[in-house]
Amino acid sequence: MINRRPRSNDVKRSRILFVILSVILISIITSCGGQKQNGEAVATVNGAPVLLKEFQKDLAIYANRNPDFKLDTKSVEDHLDMFIDKQLMIQEATKMGLAKDDRFLETIKRFWEQTLIRELINAKSMEWRDRLFVTEDEIQSHYQEIKSGAIPKPPLKDVHDEIKTSLLEQKKQKALEEWLKEARKGASIKVDARGLQRIFSNE
């Protein structure tokens, strides 16, 4: 089944989580008596500060991805230990020059491109949401197209939301394809056919 948890609940949960994190982390900073940097760092790793905001964000992401995560002083301290271990590994990898490795840079480039494209699609979806919708007639029509085999066709009420989501995603995909067509028309694109042929040669 599709998770249709209201967006407002996510926002409310994030705000509550942020407040709880602030209280717990401030208490940890006070009790540890370490370098505070005006309350902006929870620790330092070989002189490099672990900023409060950075750690809060990392912990909030972890908590949201793990519903069973119990937020208390010990769990925050354990997560800080993991965060410090991660920083130690990053520092060692940087010291070894791995950050300059071509394969690493290519991986970062691909990740950056994929993330940027995903953000663009999300932004476009927000633009299209006022004009992209699925009617009940479309859902009924799609339901009628579902063929019954050895297993009887499920009742419409059991697959209604899945059909609606599927049809909406199809409309988003079509809108994206149409946008790309228009983008190509307005762009200056030149393809080197001879250069392309070199893929098939031994040069």
Side-chain angles (χ1 to χ4, degrees):
M1 296 297 293
I2 299 171
N3 184 4
R4 303 179 64 85
R5 181 176 56 185
R7 187 180 181 87
S8 59
N9 288 344
D10 292 339
V11 175
K12 185 182 296 182
R13 183 169 181 265
S14 298
R15 289 176 178 172
I16 295 173
L17 182 61
F18 180 82
V19 172
I20 295 174
L21 284 175
S22 299
V23 174
I24 292 178
L25 288 174
I26 290 174
S27 66
I28 292 175
I29 296 170
T30 304
S31 61
C32 292
Q35 180 177 351
K36 300 186 180 72
Q37 291 191 3
N38 296 325
E40 293 182 356
V42 292
T44 58
V45 183
N46 291 325
V50 176
L51 299 180
L52 173 61
K53 284 186 177 181
E54 183 181 359
F55 181 64
Q56 275 184 316
K57 185 183 296 183
D58 188 83
L59 184 56
I61 291 173
Y62 181 83
N64 283 323
R65 289 178 178 175
N66 298 273
D68 296 331
F69 178 73
K70 297 185 182 302
L71 194 63
D72 53 35
T73 301
K74 185 180 183 306
S75 65
V76 172
E77 290 174 344
D78 289 343
H79 193 81
L80 179 59
D81 285 338
M82 289 191 296
F83 195 88
I84 290 173
D85 289 343
K86 183 172 67 175
Q87 297 307 309
L88 285 170
M89 288 188 285
I90 291 173
Q91 289 180 8
E92 180 63 18
T94 303
K95 189 187 302 180
M96 293 173 63
L98 298 180
K100 298 179 181 178
D101 184 81
D102 289 341
R103 290 177 301 174
F104 172 77
L105 295 176
E106 182 62 25
T107 300
I108 293 298
K109 177 176 177 289
R110 290 181 181 274
F111 176 76
W112 177 79
E113 290 175 343
Q114 291 170 0
T115 302
L116 202 58
I117 290 173
R118 185 175 66 245
E119 290 301 313
L120 171 65
I121 292 175
N122 289 338
K124 287 296 179 183
S125 294
M126 293 294 289
E127 291 181 11
W128 299 329
R129 66 180 179 178
D130 291 334
R131 66 180 180 86
L132 293 181
F133 53 87
V134 178
T135 66
E136 289 299 317
D137 286 343
E138 289 174 320
I139 294 174
Q140 287 279 357
S141 177
H142 185 83
Y143 177 74
Q144 295 302 324
E145 293 174 0
I146 299 176
K147 296 181 179 179
S148 297
I151 302 176
K153 185 164 59 174
L156 176 59
K157 63 183 180 61
D158 292 344
V159 293
H160 179 278
D161 291 346
E162 284 80 3
I163 292 176
K164 183 176 182 179
T165 299
S166 176
L167 292 177
L168 184 59
E169 289 302 317
Q170 290 177 27
K171 291 191 176 188
K172 287 181 180 179
Q173 181 61 35
K174 184 176 180 181
L176 179 61
E177 291 171 358
E178 292 174 352
W179 175 82
L180 282 171
K181 287 181 181 179
E182 292 300 317
R184 279 178 170 268
K185 291 178 182 178
S188 175
I189 302 173
K190 297 179 181 179
V191 177
D192 185 349
R194 294 182 60 185
L196 194 61
Q197 285 299 317
R198 294 194 184 98
I199 296 176
F200 306 100
S201 67
N202 295 322
E203 298 179 11

